[in-house]
Amino acid sequence: MAEWSNALVLKTSVLQGTGGSNPSFSAKIKTMTDYQQSIENSFRILTGQATIETICIALTLHFQGEDVPDVFPIFFIEPDAIPDLDQIDTMIDHFEFYEEYEKCAWLSDYKKKL
């Protein structure tokens, strides 16, 4: 199996208009750093909000109208792995920094079940 954390990823870019206060995931990934994107991708997989396929589709939408290079999503936690407590804590710290407290609450509940 490929090392997801070592996969080629998108570089950050500035987005003109992100869809208001609630941008789509494909619009959101255009302004994320690789680290932010990896945590967001892993969170979406853990919560069942996305699959690897839907994340790949969002990446290809980033290149709409351009030649699509061979890009792969990056994950903080491998999609088929069970996260350890330190990884969950790191994700919580990340989302606390960005004041995404609903995600922190979900991760805290998830951590209790591990």
Side-chain angles (χ1 to χ4, degrees), residues 2 4-5 8 14 18-20 24 28 30 32 40 45-46 60 63 71-72 75 77 82 86-88 93 96 100 102:
W4 289 101
S5 60
L8 177 64
V14 177
T18 60
S24 68
K28 197 174 174 184
K30 294 179 183 181
M32 289 184 190
E40 186 68 33
I45 294 286
L46 283 175
T60 59
F63 292 102
V71 268
F72 301 95
F75 295 93
I77 301 166
I82 297 172
D86 289 336
Q87 290 171 318
I88 298 297
D93 290 344
E96 281 179 347
E100 296 188 69
E102 298 84 12

Side-chain angles (χ1 to χ4, degrees), residues 18-34:
T18 60
S21 62
N22 191 15
S24 68
F25 182 64
S26 61
K28 197 174 174 184
I29 63 169
K30 294 179 183 181
T31 59
M32 289 184 190
T33 65
D34 294 343

Side-chain angles (χ1 to χ4, degrees), residues 28-94:
K28 197 174 174 184
I29 63 169
K30 294 179 183 181
T31 59
M32 289 184 190
T33 65
D34 294 343
Y35 181 72
Q36 289 171 311
Q37 184 182 351
S38 73
I39 290 182
E40 186 68 33
N41 287 343
S42 290
F43 180 80
R44 291 175 57 82
I45 294 286
L46 283 175
T47 60
Q49 295 175 5
T51 62
I52 295 171
E53 292 80 17
T54 58
I55 291 171
C56 289
I57 289 168
L59 288 174
T60 59
L61 290 175
H62 172 74
F63 292 102
Q64 199 169 24
E66 302 175 24
D67 291 332
V68 179
D70 292 331
V71 268
F72 301 95
I74 185 170
F75 295 93
F76 182 70
I77 301 166
E78 288 193 38
D80 58 348
I82 297 172
D84 63 41
L85 298 178
D86 289 336
Q87 290 171 318
I88 298 297
D89 287 338
T90 300
M91 291 176 74
I92 290 171
D93 290 344
H94 170 80

